[in-house]
Amino acid sequence: MGQQNKEVMANDIIVPQSYYHVTKSFNQINGLVTTGAATCTALAMSASNENGEIIYALTHIDGENDIKKVIDGMIEDMNTQINGIVGTINAYIASAGIKNNGNLAHTPEKVVDYLNQKNVALKFASNLQQIRIGGSSKKDDIVRVSEGVDEIHRAEGNKNLDGLIQQANALPKMKGGHNKWTELKQEGGYSSGVHDPMEEVIKQVLDKALYWEKETEVNDNAQQQKLTNLKSAIKKEENWYKKYLYGRKLLAWADTAQNQ
């Protein structure tokens, strides 16, 4: 994977475990990505309408998700956002349970069985644990499943301020999830598989926002405006962010004046 690809993909919107996101705004965003699917199933889909508009959807299904509800919800939202899908939906599955020859092994069979009931062209993308999707036409789905996809988004990630704004705007619009997560009560206490993975993604936005605030020169008007735009995007979704420990910390940061 070339450096230019890595820089573009660094700003992909991360969709955390158990959630899904549907968007057609690829004039504004690069792609959708989920990392570390492990024994879960990562599912990416694309479709188009009669005008050639493209819609993308991505989820990271775990053992607690209502699989039918998630898949139905994704397809319904895809249909709604582009006023009707024309033709077949492309669907790509990545999971540690998929063998290199495309055979199904430990991937939750309900996912595949249910997709096969839909108007879907199913492709077993990889036995790796992550997937991203983006592109500019239905014939040009840019699906990536290499190890590098995961590396780009580790720790605080590599998003620029445009990428952070996109992520901050997208998180409250994501659907899915379930009530099996334990509420995160204290900073630094996050445990994967126990606490809501939304917390981890919000923390990443906070960490990178703090990084860019520190790195941005006072007289760099363009970057300062992007920091202001990021804070505005977060405050606009106050009711959503305040449900999360790191969301409340992000709101506290967004309330601070510039250049303190």
Side-chain angles (χ1 to χ4, degrees):
M1 193 186 304
Q3 187 60 32
Q4 188 175 359
N5 275 345
K6 287 183 179 179
E7 288 174 6
V8 170
M9 288 166 58
N11 288 312
D12 286 345
I13 288 173
I14 295 172
V15 182
Q17 179 182 335
S18 80
Y19 292 91
Y20 69 87
H21 190 52
V22 179
T23 182
K24 67 172 183 177
S25 303
F26 274 73
N27 57 330
Q28 297 172 348
I29 66 174
N30 305 294
L32 300 171
V33 65
T34 193
T35 61
T39 55
C40 304
T41 302
L43 168 65
M45 295 194 284
S46 72
S48 60
N49 63 12
E50 60 182 9
N51 298 321
E53 282 185 298
I54 313 299
I55 189 80
Y56 289 96
L58 185 139
T59 190
H60 176 155
I61 297 171
D62 69 16
E64 303 292 347
N65 276 121
D66 182 331
I67 291 168
K68 291 183 178 182
K69 188 175 179 181
V70 167
I71 293 172
D72 284 348
M74 290 172 77
I75 293 174
E76 183 180 336
D77 284 359
M78 291 170 80
N79 246 314
T80 300
Q81 286 194 32
I82 59 172
N83 297 315
I85 292 169
V86 172
T88 307
I89 297 170
N90 292 328
Y92 307 88
I93 284 183
S95 172
I98 295 174
K99 303 303 182 189
N100 289 324
N101 61 6
N103 287 338
L104 185 67
H106 307 299
T107 304
E109 294 182 16
K110 283 187 284 186
V111 175
V112 175
D113 289 345
Y114 197 61
L115 281 170
N116 280 334
Q117 298 173 32
K118 305 291 182 180
N119 184 25
V120 165
L122 190 57
K123 299 167 189 179
F124 294 100
S126 172
N127 66 336
L128 293 170
Q129 298 178 6
Q130 57 279 314
I131 194 168
R132 70 87 63 183
I133 190 168
S136 55
S137 73
K138 194 177 178 188
K139 295 183 176 65
D140 188 33
D141 290 339
I142 302 171
V143 179
R144 295 265 193 270
V145 284
S146 72
E147 297 284 2
V149 172
D150 191 58
E151 290 166 8
I152 291 168
H153 300 286
R154 284 180 189 163
E156 65 181 22
N158 293 280
K159 283 183 169 56
N160 60 26
L161 282 167
D162 291 324
L164 289 178
I165 291 166
Q166 290 165 171
Q167 184 79 53
N169 281 325
L171 287 174
K173 297 181 178 70
M174 292 182 188
K175 298 180 181 178
H178 49 68
N179 60 6
K180 306 294 184 183
W181 302 118
T182 302
E183 184 182 354
L184 183 62
K185 299 282 191 182
Q186 61 185 54
E187 193 173 353
Y190 180 84
S191 179
S192 179
V194 176
H195 298 109
D196 193 331
M198 195 62 82
E199 291 278 12
E200 194 173 32
V201 182
I202 297 170
K203 180 180 184 296
Q204 192 180 60
V205 173
L206 174 61
D207 289 346
K208 203 64 183 178
L210 291 169
Y211 166 83
W212 282 118
E213 187 167 59
K214 184 179 176 183
E215 291 294 311
T216 300
E217 299 287 343
V218 174
N219 59 358
D220 187 339
N221 293 333
Q223 286 287 88
Q224 290 292 351
Q225 184 59 52
K226 287 179 181 180
L227 278 166
T228 299
N229 293 347
L230 175 58
K231 291 182 175 186
S232 297
I234 293 159
K235 288 191 282 190
K236 190 174 70 177
E237 296 288 354
E238 178 182 359
N239 287 337
W240 185 86
Y241 277 105
K242 70 183 183 184
K243 296 186 293 185
Y244 298 92
L245 175 71
Y246 282 108
R248 294 189 288 276
K249 292 183 179 299
L250 192 59
L251 283 166
W253 171 77
D255 276 332
T256 58
Q258 296 293 105
N259 308 321
Q260 280 189 346

